[in-house]
Amino acid sequence: MMSSGGYTTIDDQKISGSVPTFPPSEAQGKISGVFRPPPDADDTFSKPAPGSSSDGPQTGGWMSRLTIGSYKPYFDVDTSDVLERIKDSLFPFKATFTEKTANNPDLYGPFWICTTLIFVVAAISAFVAYLAHKWQKKAWDYDISLVTWSAGIFYGYVSLVPLGLYLILKYFSAPSGLVQLWCLYGYSLFIFIPASCLSVVPVEVFRWVVAGVAGFTSAAFVALNLRTHIMSAGERWFLIVAGIFFLQLALAVVVKFYFFTITVGASSS
């Protein structure tokens, strides 16, 4: 074995085939072509990052995934990266999101999208209820539980549904990266932010149209980006993709019914 100029080569006198050479690893910085997530934190759709080796020793195993430090690199992103991924989520038929984020998924965007959505939905729902009561000259009291339910629905959905899908795909021998799924589902919720703002319009049919468009866009974004990968799960791939699609639609229906279907009571102040 010889060393020169920071590069290491291996004498292949007794080794058949070609042996690659590698420069010293300096994978640092924000999300870019040189960024690589921790190898034990995500398997990114079972596709190892270019220049990495799945045969290398991994320390910590599952226990390392329970530490904050193991997920810190996924929050080191540029605003331009987040905006580009948000734009991709609004055009679901491109179905290029998982390809673009295969080696560099982030959790920063999904976290802030979900957190923003929680307060936007709760605030606009309260405002819509206030207007409905005021127009009919009825008493109105702010319902603080709107924030609680909003947080439970969105944080719960974006955390547990990808986790459940992760386990299902492992069962069908089509494993995917858990962080990759969290990233995909997190960005899929962005469409509900402008949809919630449009729900201020006091026309029930219009609100249903907005909820339907948002639900379909979000559902198509997730299903189409996962379809190619899930097809490797065998004959049942269509059922899995259909389940993903309709579950996302169901989220839109729940949001519409619970937060933007206003019933004004009969009592007045």
Side-chain angles (χ1 to χ4, degrees):
M1 181 178 296
M2 298 175 290
S3 177
S4 175
Y7 291 78
T8 301
T9 60
I10 300 176
D11 188 356
D12 59 352
Q13 182 178 0
K14 297 182 180 180
I15 301 178
S16 60
S18 61
V19 180
T21 61
F22 300 95
S25 175
E26 296 181 356
Q28 298 178 355
K30 297 191 180 299
I31 207 164
S32 63
V34 298
F35 172 77
R36 294 293 178 267
D40 59 343
D42 185 20
D43 52 14
T44 53
F45 282 86
S46 303
K47 179 181 179 181
S52 66
S53 173
S54 59
D55 298 329
Q58 296 184 5
T59 59
W62 274 94
M63 291 302 296
S64 66
R65 302 189 188 192
L66 302 178
T67 64
I68 296 177
S70 64
Y71 292 96
K72 185 177 179 181
Y74 298 109
F75 289 86
D76 188 23
V77 295
D78 288 319
T79 302
S80 59
D81 295 305
V82 175
L83 293 178
E84 179 66 23
R85 295 175 180 194
I86 287 175
K87 185 175 70 173
D88 287 341
S89 74
L90 299 176
F91 299 94
F93 294 103
K94 290 183 177 181
T96 58
F97 185 87
T98 52
E99 180 182 349
K100 291 180 179 179
T101 62
N103 296 320
N104 51 11
D106 76 279
L107 295 179
Y108 179 86
F111 173 77
W112 284 110
I113 288 172
C114 192
T115 302
T116 302
L117 179 60
I118 287 169
F119 289 101
V120 167
V121 167
I124 294 182
S125 176
F127 181 66
V128 167
Y130 166 76
L131 291 180
H133 283 75
K134 184 176 181 180
W135 287 334
Q136 297 192 25
K137 303 185 186 304
K138 304 291 184 179
W140 174 81
D141 294 316
Y142 177 71
D143 186 1
I144 191 62
S145 68
L146 288 173
V147 177
T148 305
W149 277 104
S150 183
I153 290 173
F154 293 116
Y155 277 149
Y157 186 89
V158 82
S159 300
L160 299 180
V161 171
L163 178 60
L165 180 60
Y166 172 81
L167 297 175
I168 290 173
L169 294 180
K170 269 192 172 295
Y171 176 80
F172 284 104
S173 300
S176 63
L178 180 56
V179 172
Q180 178 80 359
L181 291 175
W182 278 333
C183 178
L184 177 66
Y185 271 85
Y187 280 100
S188 76
L189 296 182
F190 177 80
I191 187 65
F192 290 103
I193 296 178
S196 298
C197 296
L198 290 175
S199 295
V200 171
V201 178
V203 178
E204 190 66 10
V205 173
F206 178 77
R207 288 174 179 168
W208 273 111
V209 170
V210 168
V213 171
F216 178 83
T217 302
S218 179
F221 172 70
V222 176
L224 293 178
N225 274 284
L226 289 174
R227 180 183 58 180
T228 302
H229 173 74
I230 295 178
M231 286 178 69
S232 63
E235 297 179 354
R236 299 183 180 180
W237 72 268
F238 181 78
L239 294 178
I240 299 175
V241 173
I244 291 170
F245 182 86
F246 286 110
L247 190 60
Q248 201 83 354
L249 280 182
L251 175 64
V253 173
V254 169
V255 171
K256 170 62 182 73
F257 267 122
Y258 188 81
F259 295 102
F260 298 109
T261 299
I262 309 301
T263 302
V264 180
S267 61
S268 60
S269 57

